[in-house]
Amino acid sequence: MIRVALVDDHRVVTRGLRMFLESFPDIQVAGVAASGEELLAKVAEWNPQIVVMDLFMPGGLDGVESTRRLREAHPAIRVIALTASVDEARLIGVLRAGASGYIRKDADPELLLSAIRAVAQGRTFIDPSVAGDVLAGERPVAELSAREMEVLRQIAFGLTNREIGERLFVGEETVKTHVGRILGKLGLQHRTQLVGYALKHGLVRLEEL
């Protein structure tokens, strides 16, 4: 059972999400908050594994700052950002704050369900349409070697450098070197962008994540 908390100031959104998610036997909505402040006050009581967080909320805390404070206080809880707009700065901001997923509100509900299940398993999940917008100027995948392509696939699956090294029978430092080269060749800046890149270019499929 995956325990989920929903954070959004629009009740019609949280009611709809609750009804949808609780129609699946492996999902339980542990609590609903209308603000980041309310979430932080009640999250210990609810004890969710996943928090689905709206990025635009009234009050003192937006979704990015709420994510940062939540992750500092409860590092085991993972966050999926939910937003109506595509803003690269906000995307990068919430991911740096500790979010593990990013989904647009106009996405199919099944995509959010996939994100929740993937993030609950320790993976990163970025809405492919967001990845396409953010990575519009990236360089072609043909610049990567076969080994770099495999490392990129493992990053997309959410593996750490150490786990990738164990899977590919190389040292962690070697994996770090590969990651640096991949970022440089593709003109990207951080690992989360690599997840979006791999999805956009078909190196991994959503059902694999």
Side-chain angles (χ1 to χ4, degrees), residues 73-166:
H74 305 276
I77 298 176
R78 298 171 70 85
V79 176
I80 298 173
L82 190 65
T83 181
S85 68
V86 179
D87 181 336
E88 180 174 359
R90 195 169 291 271
L91 165 61
I92 293 172
V94 75
L95 293 173
R96 286 178 175 170
S100 300
Y102 194 99
I103 300 292
R104 288 173 59 154
K105 282 188 174 179
D106 60 357
D108 289 336
E110 289 75 14
L111 193 66
L112 176 59
L113 178 64
S114 296
I116 289 171
R117 288 170 172 165
V119 169
Q121 294 175 2
R123 300 171 182 168
T124 300
F125 194 103
I126 308 298
D127 188 324
S129 66
V130 175
D133 291 335
V134 171
L135 302 175
E138 87 287 3
R139 298 170 190 169
V141 72
E143 296 187 13
L144 301 182
S145 68
R147 173 61 76 172
E148 289 166 347
M149 290 267 262
E150 185 54 36
V151 170
L152 175 55
R153 278 178 48 82
Q154 301 307 316
I155 291 171
F157 291 142
L159 273 64
T160 64
N161 288 346
R162 181 177 181 179
E163 291 169 335
I164 294 172
E166 292 173 351

Side-chain angles (χ1 to χ4, degrees), residues 51-70:
V51 171
V52 178
M53 179 90 70
D54 183 21
L55 291 188
F56 296 93
M57 293 181 291
L61 297 180
D62 65 2
V64 175
E65 181 62 17
S66 297
T67 296
R68 185 185 68 78
R69 295 192 187 187
L70 174 67

Side-chain angles (χ1 to χ4, degrees), residues 3-5 18 28-33 37-49 51 70 74 77:
R3 291 175 58 82
V4 177
R18 183 169 203 156
Q28 177 186 2
V29 176
V32 176
E37 290 89 343
E38 184 181 1
L39 168 72
L40 294 172
K42 295 184 177 179
V43 67
E45 174 188 343
W46 294 340
N47 191 30
Q49 296 167 263
V51 171
L70 174 67
H74 305 276
I77 298 176

